[in-house]
Amino acid sequence: MRTITTISLPAAVAREVKKEAKEQGFASTSEFMRHVLRGYKQEKLFAGLRKQQASYRKKPKAFKVLRSLKDLR
């Protein structure tokens, strides 16, 4: 089930969104906005992974090595 969300944009931004959606071959501006949101979520996930990598590089011994599923307990 989908929920409808309405957003207000300045006219210039709305035109840009519409133009970009058309140029990229999306069926609608809604499809384009869903694509943009998926990209945002993906970048947020990658940022979290990069943060964890940096933390691991600073203190690798602070992370436990799991040798089996029992180690998760």
Side-chain angles (χ1 to χ4, degrees), residues 13-24:
V13 175
R15 283 192 301 273
E16 186 66 29
V17 167
K18 208 172 202 178
K19 177 184 170 204
E20 195 64 32
K22 186 176 181 179
E23 285 177 4
Q24 296 294 321

Side-chain angles (χ1 to χ4, degrees), residues 13 24-25 39 43 56 62-63 68 73:
V13 175
Q24 296 294 321
E43 183 51 42
Y56 176 77
F63 288 78
S68 75
R73 294 182 193 161

Side-chain angles (χ1 to χ4, degrees), residues 36-70:
V36 169
L37 287 170
R38 283 190 293 269
Y40 170 77
K41 287 174 63 176
Q42 185 177 34
E43 183 51 42
K44 196 172 170 183
L45 174 65
F46 288 152
L49 290 173
R50 286 189 294 271
K51 186 176 177 182
Q52 284 293 322
Q53 284 177 329
S55 178
Y56 176 77
R57 286 186 185 118
K58 285 181 182 177
K59 294 183 180 180
K61 297 199 187 256
F63 288 78
K64 184 177 180 182
V65 176
L66 301 178
R67 303 206 187 285
S68 75
L69 292 176
K70 289 180 183 177

